[in-house]
Amino acid sequence: MAPGPQTAVVLPLLDPERLSHVGRIDALKALERHVAWIQAQQVHILAALDGDAQAALPEGQWNESVEGEWNFACEEVACALKLSGTTAGKRLQVARELDSHYPTTLGLLERGEICYMQAVAVTEACGVLDPLLAAQVEATIAGKMPDLATGQTRRALRREIVRADPYGAEERHGKRKRERQMVHYPQDDGMAMWGAILPAEQAARMNQAVDAHAGTLPDEGRTLEQKRVDALFDLVVNRTSTASSTGNAGEQSPGGRSAAIVQVTVPLDVLIGESEEPAQLKGYGPITAGQAREIAFADGTIWRRLIIEPKTGMLVKTDPTTYKPTAETERHVIARDGRCAFPTCQMPAHRCDLDHVQPFDHDNPEAGGQTVPENLGPLCRRHHLMKTHHPGWRVTRDPDTGVTTWTAPTGHTYTNPPHNYRE
């Protein structure tokens, strides 16, 4: 049966203890169809929320730039569902596309014939095409999707898109090539994923270079994969400089290493080994005390002090009556908060504006809104704009705990502690 309210009410009868092995597989499939049906209902809600936000834009001033700057449905969805802003924005975009342009795919999802990630794949893959070609690709692939896994669906979509728009595919490859970039994602247990998005042929050559260099490294108990990672690190960090911008031989840095800066915020008691509390690695997040001490006492490390009062966390050196924070205050707030102060935003603090939570009084600086850490928080440009100019969004900050409380136009409230806050 197609999933819906009538079938959903009997799902609790699928007791795994009373089902055979075959029955459990059938029950699993039934539950998955209902998951797809519920996600389709969520798509309808998200599309309606997106419509609300567009209707609230300044009259007669809508365009893609204005919509991007003033449509804050993303923030409301992110806070309500405890998602990152990027994920919430993606959910809204997928819902908008399915609701407006891909009714066949949305119908398949609502009937539980495909999963949500297959529907996402359609919107992502066909988003590069004009509406007529997108509809053509959807019509070609729709009948096949119920029998395909998500990965198979993406591959089938790529084939159909190249077949439907070969010249556009070449142009898009050229554009993506110009947009090549580094990627760096934190992972658990003090690890990180590091790499690049680049043309496939370059990636193949890099693989060959890493494999060749790994073959020159002694085993020392290392697996092949460990040697490949060590080879990559060696090629990037320990390489000697080749040539300067003028074409002359460049000077080799000490030890043959490229110049690099690694910033760690670590309390003194951790630094001297009296505490095992985590430290904070800029661009990554919490690391172990041992990792922090290893970085701190490495050759060539430069230390920079941030002196605070132990009870209040107040920076000792500060000038509260000037609008621009002192260098010490700026370093303190960036080190304390780590990220944008909006609950779901992950923008690093050093790339944010330092915003006065209570506005600074330019006419009478003594009156309030002082430039002290308790009244400052990092906000990325988007959330700084939202706080300052969008009606309905309000923010307060508890000076003792550092917790910020955001109130949305709907009246819902969301709290956010400093990312580096220690109990």
Side-chain angles (χ1 to χ4, degrees):
M1 296 177 63
Q6 294 80 14
T7 54
V9 296
V10 298
L11 290 178
L13 297 179
L14 301 177
D15 181 359
E17 297 301 321
R18 300 176 60 188
L19 295 173
S20 66
H21 185 77
V22 173
R24 288 169 184 166
I25 294 295
D26 289 336
L28 193 63
K29 293 169 66 176
L31 290 168
E32 189 68 11
R33 287 198 300 273
H34 283 79
V35 168
W37 170 71
I38 290 172
Q39 288 174 317
Q41 309 315 305
Q42 194 177 57
V43 164
H44 292 306
I45 296 291
L46 288 167
L49 282 170
D50 187 70
D52 291 344
Q54 291 196 23
L57 294 174
E59 186 175 355
Q61 299 182 28
W62 188 91
N63 59 50
E64 288 187 2
S65 175
V66 171
E67 198 271 344
E69 290 182 2
W70 287 99
N71 184 346
F72 292 105
C74 172
E75 276 69 22
E76 295 196 76
V77 171
C79 289
L81 300 184
K82 296 181 175 62
L83 302 172
S84 71
T86 301
T87 302
K90 184 64 182 176
R91 291 262 193 106
L92 282 163
Q93 180 185 2
V94 168
R96 183 193 314 136
E97 292 296 313
L98 288 173
D99 185 69
S100 303
H101 303 301
Y102 304 105
T104 301
T105 301
L106 182 54
L108 289 171
L109 181 67
E110 198 151 17
R111 293 191 298 275
E113 296 181 40
I114 62 173
C115 71
Y116 177 72
M117 292 311 300
Q118 287 176 281
V120 171
V122 171
T123 64
E124 289 179 342
C126 295
V128 300
L129 302 173
D130 67 57
L132 287 177
L133 281 177
Q136 175 185 323
V137 170
E138 184 197 26
T140 302
I141 202 75
K144 305 173 184 176
M145 280 198 293
D147 296 322
L148 300 178
T150 301
Q152 293 171 321
T153 299
R154 288 188 179 276
R155 289 192 292 272
L157 282 164
R158 284 197 294 267
R159 283 194 298 271
E160 291 301 326
I161 287 170
V162 172
R163 185 176 291 127
D165 186 26
Y167 299 111
E170 289 288 354
E171 290 178 1
R172 288 189 295 274
H173 172 66
K175 181 175 183 292
R176 288 295 303 276
K177 188 174 180 179
R178 293 189 294 273
E179 294 173 348
R180 57 194 181 275
Q181 59 180 310
M182 298 292 299
V183 290
H184 177 203
Y185 302 119
Q187 294 191 339
D188 294 337
D189 302 320
M191 304 298 284
M193 193 287 294
W194 184 91
I197 299 174
L198 73 169
E201 64 274 15
Q202 290 184 354
R205 292 181 63 187
M206 288 178 67
N207 266 331
Q208 293 172 352
V210 168
D211 287 345
H213 189 49
T216 68
L217 301 180
D219 286 340
E220 297 174 341
R222 290 180 286 189
T223 66
L224 176 60
E225 281 306 308
Q226 289 170 337
K227 288 171 64 177
R228 295 184 79 240
V229 172
D230 295 344
L232 175 62
F233 180 83
D234 196 45
L235 287 169
V236 173
V237 176
N238 294 332
R239 66 176 176 83
T240 56
S241 299
T242 53
S244 66
S245 58
T246 61
N248 299 323
E251 293 184 2
Q252 182 173 319
S253 56
R257 294 175 179 269
S258 303
I261 298 174
V262 177
Q263 182 175 313
V264 179
T265 306
V266 52
L268 180 61
D269 55 351
V270 172
L271 196 62
I272 63 178
E274 291 189 359
S275 171
E276 295 301 313
E277 287 288 318
Q280 193 77 10
L281 175 62
K282 182 178 178 180
Y284 173 77
I287 59 174
T288 66
Q291 286 179 289
R293 288 191 285 267
E294 182 179 349
I295 295 170
F297 294 107
D299 291 340
T301 294
I302 298 173
W303 293 11
R304 202 185 286 267
R305 293 185 304 175
L306 293 173
I307 304 174
I308 62 173
E309 295 177 2
K311 291 184 179 180
T312 65
M314 177 72 176
L315 191 68
V316 172
K317 290 184 179 181
T318 185
D319 187 351
T321 60
T322 61
Y323 179 70
K324 183 175 174 59
T326 64
E328 291 91 342
T329 300
E330 185 174 351
R331 283 198 295 267
H332 175 80
V333 174
I334 290 172
R336 178 196 68 195
D337 289 355
R339 304 280 179 178
C340 172
F342 189 75
T344 63
C345 187
Q346 296 298 310
M347 180 68 73
H350 70 275
R351 292 170 56 190
C352 294
D353 304 327
L354 290 194
D355 175 66
H356 290 75
V357 180
Q358 181 183 349
F360 184 82
D361 191 332
H362 290 273
D363 297 325
N364 184 10
E366 302 283 350
Q370 293 187 331
T371 308
V372 294
E374 296 93 333
N375 191 47
L376 292 173
L379 287 180
C380 70
R381 285 298 172 92
R382 175 176 175 82
H383 295 131
H384 194 171
L385 173 72
M386 184 181 78
K387 170 186 174 290
T388 305
H389 298 292
H390 192 281
W393 280 99
R394 301 188 306 278
V395 60
T396 59
R397 183 178 186 277
D398 187 313
D400 296 323
T401 66
V403 174
T404 55
T405 300
W406 291 75
T407 304
T410 58
H412 294 88
T413 60
Y414 307 97
T415 58
N416 187 46
H419 289 258
N420 297 344
Y421 182 64
R422 289 177 64 199
E423 294 288 345

